[in-house]
Amino acid sequence: MMVFQQIIDSIEGLSIEDQDYLFELIRKRRIESRRQEILANSEEVMRSFKNGTAKRGSVDELIADLLGDDDASCLE
């Protein structure tokens, strides 16, 4: 916890302009990180689809599968 507080103290010691720049830089890096995560997930889904291991069906069938109901009767 002390390291985190030291980081905060260091940021507070920056000028307002530098703080704004730092926050914008962090925001942009978080966006890019999220984009990379989405890309990796989509590549995994595409591999599963090409390998035939991806599940297919309607939304009701997906929900039934997640709930462990074989005939989706719980959705009616």
Side-chain angles (χ1 to χ4, degrees):
M1 184 65 176
M2 188 59 175
V3 171
F4 189 71
Q5 186 60 46
Q6 289 170 335
I7 293 169
I8 292 172
D9 292 343
S10 294
I11 292 170
E12 287 176 344
L14 297 173
S15 68
I16 296 298
E17 294 81 16
D18 286 345
Q19 287 181 26
D20 289 342
Y21 176 75
L22 177 62
F23 296 145
E24 185 65 19
L25 179 65
I26 291 169
R27 186 183 72 78
K28 287 180 179 179
R29 286 187 178 191
R30 290 185 66 209
I31 289 169
E32 184 58 32
S33 175
R34 181 66 180 130
R35 285 182 181 150
Q36 291 300 317
E37 182 181 338
I38 291 168
L39 176 62
N41 289 340
S42 68
E43 289 171 342
E44 181 180 347
V45 168
M46 292 304 293
R47 276 191 303 277
S48 295
F49 185 76
K50 287 178 183 177
N51 293 336
T53 58
K55 292 187 178 183
R56 302 168 87 180
S58 69
V59 172
D60 288 342
E61 291 168 335
L62 174 62
I63 293 171
D65 184 55
L66 292 172
L67 296 174
D69 185 12
D70 292 334
D71 63 5
S73 62
C74 67
L75 302 174
E76 297 175 2

